[in-house]
Amino acid sequence: MRHIKGAALCALLAGGVAFGANAETKLTIATVNNGDMIRMQKLTDDFTKKNPDISLEWVTLEENTLRQRVTTDIATKGGQYDIMTIGTYEAPIWAKKGWLAPLDNLGADYDVDDIMPAIRSALSNDGKLYAAPFYAESSMMMYRKDLFEKAGIEINGRLTWDQTLDIAKKLHDPANGVYGICLRGKAGWGENMALITTMGNAYGARLFNEEWKPEFNDQEWKDALTMYVDILGNYGPPGATSNGFNENLSLFNAGKCAMWIDATVAASFVTNPKDSKVADQVGFTEAPCAVTCTGANWLWAWNLAIPASSKNTDAAEKFIAWATSKSYLELVASKDGWANVPPGTRMSLYQNQKYLDAAPFAIKTLAAIDSADPINSTLKPKPYVGVQFAAIPEFQGIGTVVGQQFSAALAGQVTVDQALENAQQSTDRTMQKAGYY
């Protein structure tokens, strides 16, 4: 080596450095700050040991922020991320636009046919899978059995929202740190709108009529939003307009909520003694109905997808195959117990006796997911697909604006009537501009 000229040696060393850099592929992964995703990050040593040539960089964001960032990045072909955590709303829309890479090489042992049919269908376009489900959920009520028993309240069948309001009044005890009910108040099309739209469905409302005209000025929406503002404004925690899924999960686990209606995925956290002070006192029942039970509980999945702009699609697909596989469920079970595996995506999980024995909420979760029908989710006919959203590109903007109006009504900044009128006018303008009528 001493006989090599200085310039040549520098070139050789530079070449070596360049080769080393190319040998490692760095994947940048955008995800939501929910408990199951945090757990996934802690377990990724299992993946990197098997794939030493791949390194991972995580961008973990609050739900509303995640949606804004990934939508902006993919629409502008920004190329910041190799893997994005997206929902059942974005996946088919973005696939049709050519913004996502198809997942057609997940491996021989991945078993795509084991994915729940409704979820697989929602993540496919022209028969190809464009996102892999990490966990899926519906919504249901979680409640404090000890508080219900002490007050002599029994649940016999599915509750109505009127009955839920009565129970919230009885159990509301802020002097002792217990609120009658916890619900999403944080504005966002996937935050408060996810809940309030299912309430609207239960009251017989719909987002759009068959001519694609919004219906926020109908009596059904007024009934639903009046109930929401009444029950959460009077019997919920203070500052409810700041509370989304994670904030309410913390409140419930601290013993501060008599009832909480939210995602079924919360069930493993509220029953885990490591997370929850009331783990042994949690009961589960369906989300409340009103004039109908149709569409009263939502359907959602958080999924991993590869933007078409990624230059590391092969490595990204390897990671997605690992994180959404049957073997990943077994990995979580070996570390944290079967009750804590990501739920709702694979049929085989609900045939696994170890899971059924460990997770008292498993059958109720499955029943809620199975009962949520994106096609028939309103009492009156509708032109859109989706339970708590309309699967059209314009809905993200519409839901954001309407969610802000509903949050303002909860805060007392506008009346229910004003919030609905503002929602009607802004949505009407958007739909006219988009050429729906």
Side-chain angles (χ1 to χ4, degrees):
M1 183 71 86
R2 73 170 69 92
H3 300 297
I4 299 175
K5 299 277 187 182
L9 178 60
C10 288
L12 181 63
L13 291 173
V17 171
F19 178 79
N22 289 337
E24 183 177 275
T25 300
K26 184 177 79 171
L27 295 178
T28 303
I29 306 170
T31 195
V32 66
N33 63 343
N34 290 352
D36 284 289
M37 279 71 174
I38 301 299
R39 181 182 284 123
M40 172 173 62
Q41 292 175 45
K42 292 176 181 175
L43 296 175
T44 48
D45 279 355
D46 180 80
F47 174 78
T48 52
K49 282 176 185 173
K50 295 171 183 172
N51 299 276
D53 56 331
I54 300 174
S55 65
L56 308 175
E57 180 182 347
W58 293 91
V59 180
T60 307
L61 302 166
E62 182 270 335
E63 193 167 313
N64 284 340
T65 307
L66 172 78
R67 290 190 169 108
Q68 291 165 2
R69 294 248 188 111
V70 299
T71 300
T72 300
D73 186 74
I74 203 160
T76 59
K77 298 181 171 63
Q80 289 185 66
Y81 310 114
D82 297 296
I83 297 172
M84 294 176 166
T85 305
I86 65 173
T88 42
Y89 165 74
E90 295 96 342
I93 295 172
W94 291 2
K96 284 177 185 173
K97 288 177 178 286
W99 291 354
L100 299 177
L103 301 179
D104 46 20
N105 191 26
L106 291 167
D109 59 348
Y110 184 78
D111 195 2
V112 172
D113 292 334
D114 187 43
I115 297 173
M116 290 199 175
I119 303 299
R120 183 178 175 184
S121 174
L123 303 178
S124 299
N125 185 48
D126 291 335
K128 283 189 174 182
L129 193 69
Y130 281 86
F134 184 69
Y135 71 74
E137 64 183 40
S138 184
S139 53
M140 66 181 177
M141 179 188 285
M142 293 154 274
Y143 64 93
R144 290 272 303 276
K145 291 188 291 186
D146 54 334
L147 297 181
F148 273 56
E149 287 167 12
K150 188 177 178 182
I153 300 168
E154 291 184 13
I155 292 183
N156 297 309
R158 195 166 185 173
L159 295 173
T160 65
W161 275 104
D162 284 334
Q163 290 171 324
T164 304
L165 176 63
D166 289 340
I167 295 170
K169 287 179 186 177
K170 288 178 183 174
L171 299 183
H172 190 56
D173 188 10
N176 289 303
V178 176
Y179 307 106
I181 195 163
C182 292
L183 299 171
R184 297 185 184 193
K186 183 187 288 186
W189 71 265
E191 283 280 11
N192 64 343
M193 283 296 285
L195 172 76
I196 301 171
T197 303
T198 60
M199 292 180 71
N201 294 341
Y203 278 91
R206 55 188 173 176
L207 294 166
F208 304 101
N209 67 17
E210 291 166 288
E211 283 73 49
W212 284 104
K213 293 188 176 177
E215 292 200 325
F216 292 114
N217 53 5
D218 282 12
Q219 184 63 43
E220 292 91 342
W221 268 111
K222 183 173 181 178
D223 292 342
L225 189 58
T226 299
M227 171 60 75
Y228 172 76
V229 169
D230 185 6
I231 194 169
L232 185 54
N234 291 314
Y235 309 107
T241 54
S242 299
N243 294 344
F245 173 81
N246 282 326
E247 292 80 8
N248 283 319
L249 175 59
S250 295
L251 286 168
F252 192 93
N253 282 349
K256 295 184 180 297
C257 309
M259 293 179 284
W260 179 31
I261 298 156
D262 211 301
T264 52
V265 74
S268 67
F269 296 101
V270 298
T271 55
N272 186 341
K274 293 179 183 177
D275 301 318
S276 173
K277 290 182 178 178
V278 294
D280 60 344
Q281 295 295 339
V282 184
F284 303 96
T285 190
E286 300 97 327
C289 304
V291 300
T292 181
C293 292
T294 301
N297 50 287
W298 68 65
L299 182 66
W300 184 255
W302 279 115
N303 318 282
L304 301 179
I306 305 170
S309 58
S310 172
K311 296 178 174 61
N312 300 309
T313 53
D314 289 346
E317 196 161 6
K318 273 187 185 178
F319 179 82
I320 290 175
W322 171 82
T324 62
S325 65
K326 291 179 183 177
S327 58
Y328 177 79
L329 300 182
E330 291 170 0
L331 175 65
V332 174
S334 70
K335 302 287 185 182
D336 296 324
W338 274 104
N340 296 300
V341 305
T345 62
R346 289 187 170 272
M347 293 183 288
S348 57
L349 181 62
Y350 294 89
Q351 296 154 7
N352 183 330
Q353 197 58 48
K354 290 178 184 176
Y355 179 64
L356 298 179
D357 290 343
F361 47 82
I363 298 302
K364 283 186 165 56
T365 294
L366 182 61
I369 290 172
D370 283 345
S371 70
D373 182 352
I375 306 298
N376 304 298
S377 59
T378 53
L379 196 57
K380 294 179 281 189
K382 64 181 173 75
Y384 56 91
V385 174
V387 181
Q388 76 279 19
F389 59 80
I392 57 174
E394 295 76 17
F395 180 77
Q396 186 164 349
I398 289 169
T400 299
V401 172
V402 174
Q404 289 165 350
Q405 288 297 320
F406 291 174
S407 186
L410 177 62
Q413 296 165 354
V414 297
T415 66
V416 165
D417 286 342
Q418 286 171 327
L420 291 168
E421 182 57 32
N422 293 343
Q424 179 70 18
Q425 289 183 11
S426 65
T427 306
D428 184 54
R429 283 195 300 271
T430 299
M431 297 301 280
Q432 283 196 55
K433 188 176 179 182
Y436 281 82
Y437 49 84

